[in-house]
Amino acid sequence: MGEAKSEAAPRRPVTLTDVARRAGVSQPTASRVLNGSARTVADSYRRRVLDAARELGYTPNLAAQVIARGTSRTIALVISGISDPYFSAMASELMKQAAEYGMRVSIAVTDRRVDRELELVRELRGQQPQAIVLAGTGYVDPPNGDELVAELRRFEETGGRVVLISRTDLPFETVTFDNREGARELAAELTTLGYRRALVLGSATPLLSMQQRVDGFVEGFGGEAAVAYPEFSWEGAREHIRSLPDDELARIQLVFAITDDMALGAIAGLRDRGRRIPQDVAVAGFDDITTLRDVVPALTTVHVPLDQVADETVRRALDGDAGGRTVPAHPVIRASTPPVRR
């Protein structure tokens, strides 16, 4: 008779205890790190736990976590549109920061439709993310506001967290940057450069943070500031410039657009009209999106530190911190707005 072949014993799954032992920390500490706590574990310990988990090939039982905690290890990000350079940059930063804590980010797009936003929040509640982050700007007079608040409150009652980015129209934790003050400071600096006649491109859609930028710029500008409200897009800004009568266009020294994307649309429109930037018309925007690195001349704008915004948002999504935080935004003067020659 031949010898019976021995079978290798099945490998025991790596447990949280194994990870804690390898990292030299307690099991509760390892659990806090691997379950997404951002505030209660020192960074040195967190790194040791993450390194140990990677070395051992530890894979958390996600289904068990959802049952135990009532939530998944997901942050649901609700944004206005993924094609917008600002929102795509925001999503990228949030994903990067969330990954530091072993979290994933799912993305839902509203296309700036308030009915769609409400519908998405209802769907997301059923998916049980750990947090819902609303990153689109709110409305000056928000429709469906009460219904949206009610849905988000129900989500909080089941243990979820709600965090807003750059919007103050809803009563939840907010991470924002000072749209009004950033625009006001930019206007003041441009005034010192000699600009006295500006066209401000706002938004035909009544978006709260965008109107704050308009108001801040008008407040800080030491000259004449005419305000227009084209479609809130690159195309809207371009078409508005292209439609201006010759005499109105001839009076403009400076165009300030409430987003960099609209500022780039304005530049396209000005060039279509035969104007040179900045020799004939200066241009400034707001956001400091990364694609500006390829723009000639370099665009003056208001820098929004999206890495800080994303870090603060993820921390609040994981651990909560009642109230709000305003991340400073500051003007950056570049070649598109040189000093006015006297």
Coordinates of all heavy atoms in Angstrom, one line a residue, residues 38-79:
A38 N -9.5 58.7 13.9 CA -8.5 59.6 13.4 C -7.9 60.4 14.5 O -6.8 61.0 14.4 CB -9.1 60.5 12.4
R39 N -8.5 60.5 15.7 CA -8.0 61.4 16.7 C -7.4 60.8 17.9 O -6.7 61.4 18.7 CB -9.2 62.3 17.2 CG -9.7 63.2 16.1 CD -10.8 64.1 16.6 NE -11.4 64.9 15.6 CZ -10.8 66.1 15.1 NH1 -9.7 66.5 15.6 NH2 -11.4 66.7 14.1
T40 N -7.7 59.5 18.2 CA -7.3 59.0 19.5 C -6.0 58.1 19.5 O -5.7 57.6 20.5 CB -8.5 58.1 20.0 OG1 -8.8 57.1 19.1 CG2 -9.7 59.0 20.3
V41 N -5.4 58.0 18.3 CA -4.2 57.2 18.3 C -3.0 58.1 17.8 O -3.1 58.7 16.7 CB -4.4 56.0 17.3 CG1 -3.1 55.2 17.2 CG2 -5.5 55.1 17.8
A42 N -1.9 58.0 18.5 CA -0.7 58.8 18.0 C -0.3 58.3 16.7 O -0.4 57.1 16.3 CB 0.4 58.6 19.0
D43 N 0.3 59.2 15.9 CA 0.7 58.9 14.5 C 1.7 57.7 14.5 O 1.7 56.9 13.6 CB 1.2 60.1 13.8 CG 1.4 59.9 12.3 OD1 0.4 59.6 11.6 OD2 2.6 59.9 11.9
S44 N 2.6 57.7 15.4 CA 3.7 56.7 15.4 C 3.0 55.3 15.6 O 3.4 54.3 15.0 CB 4.7 56.9 16.5 OG 4.1 57.0 17.8
Y45 N 2.0 55.2 16.5 CA 1.3 53.9 16.7 C 0.5 53.5 15.5 O 0.4 52.4 15.1 CB 0.4 54.0 17.9 CG 1.1 54.0 19.3 CD1 0.6 54.7 20.4 CD2 2.4 53.4 19.4 CE1 1.2 54.7 21.6 CE2 3.1 53.5 20.6 CZ 2.5 54.1 21.7 OH 3.1 54.1 22.9
R46 N -0.2 54.5 14.9 CA -1.0 54.3 13.7 C -0.1 53.7 12.6 O -0.5 52.7 12.0 CB -1.7 55.6 13.3 CG -2.7 55.4 12.2 CD -3.5 56.6 11.9 NE -2.7 57.7 11.5 CZ -2.4 58.0 10.2 NH1 -2.8 57.1 9.3 NH2 -1.6 59.0 9.9
R47 N 1.0 54.3 12.4 CA 1.9 53.8 11.3 C 2.4 52.3 11.6 O 2.4 51.5 10.7 CB 3.1 54.7 11.2 CG 2.8 56.0 10.6 CD 2.4 55.9 9.2 NE 2.1 57.2 8.6 CZ 1.7 57.4 7.4 NH1 1.4 56.3 6.6 NH2 1.4 58.6 6.9
R48 N 2.7 52.0 12.9 CA 3.1 50.7 13.3 C 2.0 49.7 13.0 O 2.2 48.6 12.5 CB 3.5 50.7 14.7 CG 4.9 51.3 14.9 CD 5.2 51.7 16.4 NE 5.0 50.6 17.3 CZ 5.1 50.7 18.7 NH1 5.4 51.9 19.1 NH2 4.9 49.7 19.5
V49 N 0.8 50.0 13.3 CA -0.4 49.1 13.1 C -0.6 48.9 11.6 O -0.8 47.8 11.2 CB -1.6 49.7 13.8 CG1 -2.9 48.9 13.4 CG2 -1.5 49.7 15.3
L50 N -0.6 50.0 10.9 CA -0.8 49.8 9.4 C 0.3 49.0 8.8 O 0.0 48.2 7.9 CB -0.9 51.2 8.8 CG -2.1 52.1 9.2 CD1 -2.1 53.4 8.5 CD2 -3.4 51.4 8.7
D51 N 1.5 49.2 9.2 CA 2.7 48.4 8.6 C 2.5 47.0 9.0 O 2.7 46.1 8.2 CB 4.0 49.0 9.2 CG 4.4 50.3 8.6 OD1 3.8 50.7 7.6 OD2 5.3 51.0 9.2
A52 N 2.1 46.7 10.3 CA 1.9 45.3 10.7 C 0.8 44.6 9.9 O 0.9 43.5 9.5 CB 1.6 45.3 12.2
A53 N -0.3 45.3 9.7 CA -1.4 44.8 9.0 C -1.0 44.4 7.5 O -1.4 43.4 7.0 CB -2.6 45.8 9.0
R54 N -0.2 45.3 6.9 CA 0.2 45.1 5.6 C 1.2 43.9 5.5 O 1.1 43.0 4.6 CB 0.9 46.3 5.0 CG 1.3 46.2 3.6 CD 1.8 47.5 3.0 NE 2.9 48.1 3.7 CZ 2.8 49.1 4.6 NH1 1.7 49.7 4.7 NH2 3.9 49.6 5.2
E55 N 2.1 43.8 6.5 CA 3.1 42.7 6.5 C 2.4 41.4 6.7 O 2.8 40.4 6.1 CB 4.1 43.0 7.6 CG 5.1 44.2 7.3 CD 5.8 44.6 8.6 OE1 5.7 43.9 9.6 OE2 6.5 45.6 8.5
L56 N 1.4 41.3 7.5 CA 0.7 40.1 7.8 C -0.4 39.7 6.8 O -0.9 38.6 6.8 CB 0.1 40.1 9.2 CG 1.1 40.2 10.4 CD1 0.4 40.4 11.7 CD2 2.0 38.9 10.5
G57 N -0.7 40.7 6.0 CA -1.8 40.5 5.0 C -3.1 40.5 5.7 O -4.0 39.7 5.3
Y58 N -3.3 41.3 6.7 CA -4.6 41.3 7.4 C -5.7 41.9 6.6 O -5.5 43.0 6.0 CB -4.4 42.1 8.7 CG -5.7 42.4 9.5 CD1 -6.3 41.4 10.1 CD2 -6.3 43.6 9.4 CE1 -7.5 41.6 10.8 CE2 -7.5 43.9 10.1 CZ -8.1 42.8 10.8 OH -9.3 43.1 11.5
T59 N -6.8 41.2 6.5 CA -7.9 41.7 5.7 C -9.1 41.8 6.7 O -9.6 40.7 7.2 CB -8.3 40.8 4.6 OG1 -7.1 40.7 3.7 CG2 -9.5 41.4 3.8
P60 N -9.7 43.0 7.0 CA -10.8 43.1 7.9 C -12.0 42.4 7.3 O -12.2 42.4 6.0 CB -11.0 44.6 8.1 CG -10.4 45.2 6.9 CD -9.2 44.3 6.5
N61 N -12.9 41.9 8.1 CA -14.2 41.3 7.7 C -15.2 42.5 7.5 O -15.8 42.9 8.5 CB -14.6 40.3 8.7 CG -15.9 39.5 8.2 OD1 -16.7 40.1 7.4 ND2 -16.0 38.3 8.6
L62 N -15.3 43.0 6.3 CA -16.1 44.2 6.1 C -17.6 43.9 6.4 O -18.3 44.7 7.0 CB -15.9 44.7 4.7 CG -14.5 45.1 4.3 CD1 -14.5 45.6 2.8 CD2 -14.0 46.2 5.2
A63 N -18.0 42.7 6.0 CA -19.5 42.4 6.3 C -19.7 42.4 7.8 O -20.7 42.9 8.3 CB -19.8 41.1 5.7
A64 N -18.8 41.8 8.5 CA -19.0 41.7 10.0 C -18.9 43.1 10.6 O -19.7 43.5 11.5 CB -17.9 40.9 10.6
Q65 N -18.1 44.0 10.0 CA -18.0 45.4 10.6 C -19.3 46.1 10.3 O -19.8 46.9 11.2 CB -16.8 46.1 9.9 CG -15.5 45.7 10.4 CD -14.4 46.5 9.7 OE1 -14.7 47.4 8.9 NE2 -13.2 46.2 10.1
V66 N -19.9 45.9 9.2 CA -21.1 46.6 8.9 C -22.2 46.2 9.9 O -23.0 47.0 10.4 CB -21.6 46.4 7.4 CG1 -23.0 46.9 7.2 CG2 -20.6 47.1 6.5
I67 N -22.3 44.8 10.1 CA -23.3 44.3 11.1 C -23.0 44.8 12.5 O -23.9 45.3 13.2 CB -23.2 42.8 11.0 CG1 -23.7 42.3 9.7 CG2 -24.1 42.2 12.1 CD1 -23.5 40.8 9.5
A68 N -21.7 44.8 12.9 CA -21.4 45.2 14.2 C -21.6 46.7 14.5 O -22.1 47.1 15.5 CB -19.9 44.8 14.5
R69 N -21.2 47.5 13.5 CA -21.2 49.0 13.7 C -22.4 49.6 13.0 O -22.7 50.8 13.3 CB -19.9 49.6 13.1 CG -18.6 49.1 13.8 CD -17.4 49.8 13.2 NE -17.4 49.8 11.8 CZ -16.5 50.4 11.1 NH1 -15.6 51.1 11.6 NH2 -16.5 50.3 9.7
G70 N -23.1 48.9 12.1 CA -24.2 49.5 11.4 C -23.7 50.4 10.3 O -24.5 51.1 9.6
T71 N -22.4 50.4 10.0 CA -21.9 51.2 8.9 C -20.8 50.5 8.1 O -20.2 49.6 8.6 CB -21.2 52.6 9.4 OG1 -20.2 52.2 10.3 CG2 -22.3 53.4 10.2
S72 N -20.5 51.0 6.9 CA -19.4 50.4 6.1 C -18.2 51.3 6.3 O -18.3 52.4 6.9 CB -19.7 50.3 4.7 OG -19.9 51.6 4.1
R73 N -17.0 50.9 5.8 CA -15.8 51.7 5.9 C -15.7 52.7 4.7 O -14.7 52.7 4.0 CB -14.6 50.9 6.0 CG -14.6 50.1 7.3 CD -13.3 49.2 7.4 NE -12.1 49.9 7.3 CZ -11.6 50.7 8.2 NH1 -12.2 50.9 9.4 NH2 -10.5 51.4 8.0
T74 N -16.8 53.3 4.4 CA -16.9 54.2 3.2 C -17.4 55.6 3.6 O -18.3 55.8 4.4 CB -17.9 53.6 2.2 OG1 -17.5 52.3 1.8 CG2 -18.0 54.5 1.0
I75 N -16.8 56.6 3.0 CA -17.3 57.9 3.1 C -17.9 58.3 1.7 O -17.3 58.1 0.7 CB -16.1 58.9 3.3 CG1 -15.5 58.7 4.7 CG2 -16.6 60.4 3.2 CD1 -14.2 59.5 4.9
A76 N -19.2 58.6 1.8 CA -19.9 58.9 0.6 C -19.8 60.4 0.3 O -20.2 61.3 1.1 CB -21.4 58.5 0.7
L77 N -19.2 60.8 -0.8 CA -19.0 62.1 -1.2 C -20.0 62.5 -2.3 O -20.1 61.9 -3.4 CB -17.6 62.3 -1.8 CG -17.2 63.7 -2.4 CD1 -17.3 64.8 -1.4 CD2 -15.9 63.6 -3.1
V78 N -20.8 63.5 -2.0 CA -21.8 64.0 -2.9 C -21.4 65.4 -3.5 O -21.2 66.3 -2.7 CB -23.2 64.2 -2.2 CG1 -24.3 64.6 -3.2 CG2 -23.6 62.9 -1.6
I79 N -21.1 65.4 -4.8 CA -20.6 66.6 -5.4 C -21.5 67.1 -6.6 O -22.3 66.3 -7.1 CB -19.1 66.4 -5.9 CG1 -19.1 65.3 -6.9 CG2 -18.2 66.2 -4.7 CD1 -17.7 65.1 -7.5

